[in-house]
């Protein structure tokens, strides 16, 4: 009897129970396939990183004595889809049984279900043993009504006994220290550099190019920086806890041209490939807190990202797919401006966020939400295009996490499933949180006129055109009151300026 066990590129969980014992009847299968490189145009570093990490993982399994079948992108035998490769591997290995872990993406889950059923072999699907909620439980919690993230998060904190006083109340008296986490970064303390690796992936890059895979962004194959193994990922985690976590909360919402990474963790690539477990990441932060090295507000702010947001968006994804991927509550249909692909815009905030995304395959949360996301929201860009951009450009982008963040949190295309109001901001927000405006071609104080920052008129245009939906939302009441207080000519000039900009977004 031979069992094939499929390991996907984002299932590199070395601590999975599958790998505990060596069994000569089990063959682990990993494959680099065009169906996955081509369903969207990915950042070059994302493809490089996934393939390099998969190869290391396959090698480590073989070294530990497991049987491994690994299909490289350039292998002439490769049929370039999970289903087609599985069917010849079944023949080749004389397989009598198939097993796999749950896939994180709806698309892949459907394809694999079909392939396994079509094989006619007995098969099983097991947990990927990664998330803090099993998938069915996560989806069940969202089945009737999606709770606000804050309540979902508190429940998990109670369930797992995280940051609680002995009586079950939250440590320090508050569940959430977000109010302490909104500072602009003045340049001090210095933002520590991330512990970038210097992997030379030029040979792999050549294989990818020779195979004809189309990518975007800078491959940086000569000095590829992202962690590629569990050991390297653990070193990133230690580095984060020691050097950046102490300031994480305070500057979580800051943006700066002087640092693309500020005090962020840079752990999403390692987490999403499952090289790290979310619980070990949380525990590392909690231990630093207990040792007195990190304040409660920073610790709680970080734990909320992993235990709260990450699990929450996944739960929404599995409760609401496949319909969620087609929602467009605001009827947005403009194409994304061309400069999303080359960063060639006069707006300093967008130029910086897109430029660093193309260079690193990374932008931090506030850049994704309040710079690139905010612009697309205000301009009414088609959420299908916005999704494809986000799904391609970031090394950590997998649909289960990208889609709710983009279509839901950032574009409000889900009509308020994930959040109760859109994350919209004018130039005042960007100026408050960043150092972009002082050197920008546009003037952050102007609503109209030649140098008026486009974010200002687009902000008002967005709220006016969606007044019916948002006008009675108490969280937006202040914005609508400010609009009413503006004199009539000012309002007309602002809306006219927005129309001018909307007529040629490519020119901004
Ligand atoms: P940090 O800011 O240091 O946060 C620590 C960790 O918390 C992250 O590694 C991540 O695992 C988790 N986290 C924080 N915020 C979120 C969130 N909103 N949703 C899920 N997990 C979160 N994250 C992805 O992993 N993949 C994506 O494709 C992705 N797309 C996004 C698209 C948009 C429009 C927005 C607004 C956010 C998106 N995020 C995505 C969430 C977040 O921006 C990234 O997780 C974060 O920037 C990764 O960098 P970091 O590890 O330095 O994060
Ligand atoms: C993203 C990606 C890419 C680019 N290539 C592969 C691949 O060749 N082989 C593979 O197993 N996985 C790849 N992935 C990750 C898959 O798309 C991922 O498994 C699904 O997104 C399911 O979450």
């Amino acid at each position: 009897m031979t069992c094939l066990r499929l390991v996907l590129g984002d299932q590199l969980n070395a601590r999975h129970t599958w790998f505990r014992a060596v069994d000569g009847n089990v063959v682990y299968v990993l494959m680099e396939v065009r169906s996955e490189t081509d369903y969207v145009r990915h950042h070059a570093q994302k493809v490089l990183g996934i393939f390099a990490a998969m190869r290391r993982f396959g090698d480590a399994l073989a070294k530990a004595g497991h049987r491994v079948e690994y299909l490289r992108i350039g292998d002439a035998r490769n049929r370039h889809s999970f289903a087609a490769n599985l069917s010849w591997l079944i023949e080749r290995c004389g397989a009598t049984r198939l097993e796999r872990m749950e896939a994180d993406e709806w698309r892949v889950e459907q394809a694999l279900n079909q392939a396994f059923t079509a094989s006619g072999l007995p098969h099983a699907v097991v947990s990927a043993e990664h998330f803090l909620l099993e998938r069915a439980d996560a989806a069940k919690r969202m089945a009737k009504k999606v709770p606000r993230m804050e309540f979902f998060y508190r429940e998990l904190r109670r369930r797992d006994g995280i940051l609680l006083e002995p009586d079950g109340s939250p440590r320090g008296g508050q569940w959430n220290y977000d109010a302490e986490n909104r500072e602009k970064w003045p340049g001090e303390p210095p933002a520590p550099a991330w512990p970038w690796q210097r992997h030379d992936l030029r040979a792999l890059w050549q294989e990818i190019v020779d195979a004809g895979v189309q990518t975007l962004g800078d491959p940086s194959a000569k000095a590829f920086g992202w962690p590629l193994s569990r050991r390297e990922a653990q070193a990133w985690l230690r580095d984060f806890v020691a050097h950046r976590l102490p300031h994480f909360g305070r500057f979580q919402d800051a943006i700066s041209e002087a640092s693309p990474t500020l005090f962020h963790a840079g752990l999403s690539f390692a987490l999403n490939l499952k090289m790290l477990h979310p619980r070990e990441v949380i525990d590392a932060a909690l231990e630093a807190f207990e040792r007195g090295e990190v304040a409660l507000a920073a610790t709680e702010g970080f734990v909320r990202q992993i235990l709260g947001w990450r699990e929450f968006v996944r739960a929404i994804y599995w409760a609401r797919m496949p319909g969620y991927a087609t929602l467009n509550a605001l009827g947005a249909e403009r194409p994304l401006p061309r400069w999303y692909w080359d960063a060639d815009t006069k707006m300093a905030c967008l130029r910086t966020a897109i430029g660093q995304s193309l260079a690193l395959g990374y932008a931090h949360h506030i850049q994704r939400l309040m710079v690139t996301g905010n612009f697309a929201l205000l301009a009414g860009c088609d959420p299908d295009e916005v999704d494809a951009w986000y799904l391609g450009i970031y090394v950590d982008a997998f649909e289960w996490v990208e889609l709710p963040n983009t279509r839901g949190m950032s574009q409000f295309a889900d009509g308020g499933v994930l959040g109760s109001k859109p994350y919209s901001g004018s130039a005042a927000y960007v100026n408050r949180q960043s150092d972009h405006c002082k050197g920008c071609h546009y003037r952050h104080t102007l609503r109209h006129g030649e140098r008026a920052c486009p974010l200002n008129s687009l902000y008002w245009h967005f709220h006016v055109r969606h007044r019916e939906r948002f006008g009675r939302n108490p969280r937006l009441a202040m914005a609508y009151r400010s609009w009413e207080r503006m004199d009539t000519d000012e309002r007309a000039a602002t809306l006219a300026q927005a129309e001018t900009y909307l007529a040629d977004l490519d020119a901004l």
Side-chain angles (χ1 to χ4, degrees):
M1 178 201 123
T2 299
C3 175
L4 295 189
R5 283 181 171 171
L6 178 64
V7 180
L8 299 174
D10 61 352
Q11 296 179 335
L12 310 184
N13 176 4
R15 297 195 305 182
H16 195 279
T17 44
W18 265 4
F19 309 121
R20 276 192 199 150
V22 172
D23 180 342
N25 293 320
V26 171
V27 181
Y28 290 101
V29 174
L30 294 99
M31 43 178 113
E32 300 166 1
V33 283
R34 294 298 296 270
S35 62
E36 299 311 299
T37 59
D38 294 5
Y39 69 86
V40 76
R41 187 181 281 238
H42 300 283
H43 197 290
Q45 290 180 45
K46 181 178 173 190
V47 180
L48 267 169
I50 291 172
F51 285 7
M54 285 172 71
R55 288 182 183 196
R56 285 178 173 223
F57 194 80
D59 288 347
L61 288 181
K63 211 165 149 200
H66 298 287
R67 290 173 66 192
V68 176
E69 284 283 352
Y70 193 105
L71 276 171
R72 292 182 169 218
I73 192 77
D75 190 323
R77 301 166 307 166
N78 194 334
R79 298 179 185 187
H80 289 294
S81 79
F82 294 129
N85 280 334
L86 275 173
S87 72
W88 81 260
L89 280 165
I90 290 169
E91 290 278 312
R92 175 182 155 86
C93 303
T96 52
R97 180 176 171 80
L98 299 179
E99 292 183 3
R100 66 180 180 87
M101 301 180 204
E102 285 174 338
D104 285 337
E105 291 193 357
W106 177 268
R107 174 186 61 84
V108 177
E109 184 71 5
Q110 301 311 304
L112 293 177
N113 267 340
Q114 238 174 33
F116 271 42
T117 307
S119 75
L121 296 178
H123 53 266
V125 182
V126 302
S127 164
E129 299 176 7
H130 174 80
F131 290 98
L132 300 167
L133 282 173
E134 287 301 333
R135 190 167 82 190
D137 181 15
K140 210 166 74 200
R141 286 168 189 252
M142 305 282 169
K144 284 204 190 101
K145 188 172 178 293
V146 172
R148 288 294 162 231
M149 198 291 287
E150 184 64 29
F151 297 103
F152 172 93
Y153 161 65
R154 287 181 195 180
E155 235 181 273
L156 289 192
R157 271 195 41 201
R158 283 197 200 94
R159 185 198 73 172
D160 293 349
I162 291 177
L163 289 176
L164 298 182
E165 301 288 357
D167 67 356
S169 63
R171 194 80 179 253
Q174 280 170 239
W175 287 103
N176 180 320
Y177 291 86
D178 224 11
E180 296 175 31
N181 291 346
R182 303 241 165 86
E183 289 182 44
K184 185 170 180 164
W185 180 56
E188 284 294 329
W194 278 3
W196 295 110
Q197 315 286 323
R198 294 189 65 79
H199 298 291
D200 184 345
L201 300 184
R202 278 177 291 184
L204 173 56
W205 178 239
Q206 197 54 51
E207 278 183 63
I208 292 169
V209 170
D210 291 346
V213 176
Q214 301 293 308
T215 59
L216 60 84
D218 178 1
S220 284
K222 199 173 153 192
F224 180 91
W226 297 98
L228 294 177
S229 64
R230 174 163 169 76
R231 183 178 295 206
E232 288 176 6
Q234 286 173 306
W236 273 64
L237 173 58
R238 283 194 298 274
D239 188 84
F240 166 65
V241 171
H243 303 299
R244 300 188 298 287
L245 178 59
H247 307 292
F248 174 84
R250 217 175 132 201
F251 301 119
Q252 201 180 328
D253 286 1
I255 311 176
S256 174
E257 286 185 15
S259 169
T261 52
L262 286 166
F263 299 91
H264 291 275
L267 293 174
S268 49
F269 177 72
L271 272 166
N272 294 353
L273 263 60
K274 304 185 179 56
M275 295 189 286
L276 288 177
H277 193 279
R279 184 65 214 221
E280 77 182 307
V281 172
I282 291 171
D283 285 344
L286 295 177
E287 284 157 21
F289 168 65
E290 296 299 348
R291 288 195 301 269
E293 293 163 8
V294 183
L296 178 58
T299 310
E300 187 283 317
F302 181 70
V303 167
R304 183 158 14 98
Q305 307 312 310
I306 310 273
L307 181 70
W309 282 111
R310 190 167 185 267
E311 295 289 326
F312 181 67
V313 298
R314 172 173 174 266
I316 291 182
Y317 180 81
W318 280 102
R320 297 298 169 113
M321 281 297 280
Y324 201 86
T326 61
L327 298 177
N328 187 359
L330 302 183
E333 45 192 28
R334 273 196 188 80
L336 264 188
R338 53 139 192 93
W339 37 261
Y340 269 73
W341 282 270
D342 61 15
D344 184 15
T345 165
K346 298 189 283 296
M347 285 179 281
C349 52
L350 281 137
R351 187 173 62 243
T352 307
I354 296 170
Q356 80 171 67
S357 302
L358 291 166
L360 303 173
Y362 179 85
H364 60 71
H365 185 69
I366 287 299
Q367 291 177 302
R368 298 187 201 197
L369 185 65
M370 296 309 294
V371 180
T372 43
N374 181 47
F375 185 89
L377 171 77
L378 300 184
C381 294
D382 183 340
D384 288 347
E385 286 203 18
V386 183
D387 263 335
W389 186 81
Y390 277 100
L391 191 53
I393 200 159
Y394 294 117
V395 294
D396 57 31
F398 296 88
E399 196 188 61
W400 66 268
V401 52
E402 174 280 327
L403 189 72
N405 270 300
T406 303
R407 209 167 263 261
M409 187 188 301
S410 159
Q411 301 301 296
F412 207 80
D414 67 1
V417 172
L418 188 141
S420 60
K421 79 169 199 46
Y423 284 92
S424 55
S426 66
Y429 175 88
V430 174
N431 188 47
R432 195 165 57 240
Q433 297 302 125
S434 82
D435 51 11
H436 288 309
C437 301
K438 61 183 184 315
C440 186
H441 168 86
Y442 293 105
R443 301 283 174 270
H444 66 92
T445 48
L446 301 180
R447 291 194 199 104
H448 45 84
E450 208 192 320
R451 292 282 180 114
C453 174
L455 294 177
N456 289 332
S457 55
L458 292 178
Y459 175 85
W460 289 116
H461 195 277
F462 171 83
H463 286 92
V464 171
R465 76 177 182 270
H466 294 298
R467 185 166 203 149
E468 202 161 315
R469 180 181 285 273
F470 299 129
R472 280 186 296 278
N473 184 326
R475 297 183 67 199
L476 291 170
M478 211 157 82
Y480 282 105
R481 271 202 303 275
S482 303
W483 177 250
E484 292 308 333
R485 277 201 300 268
M486 236 181 262
D487 79 45
T488 316
D489 290 350
E490 181 66 15
R491 282 192 269 170
T494 300
L495 294 181
Q497 181 68 71
E499 292 291 348
T500 307
Y501 284 150
L502 287 169
D504 191 4
L505 292 177
D506 285 353
L508 294 177

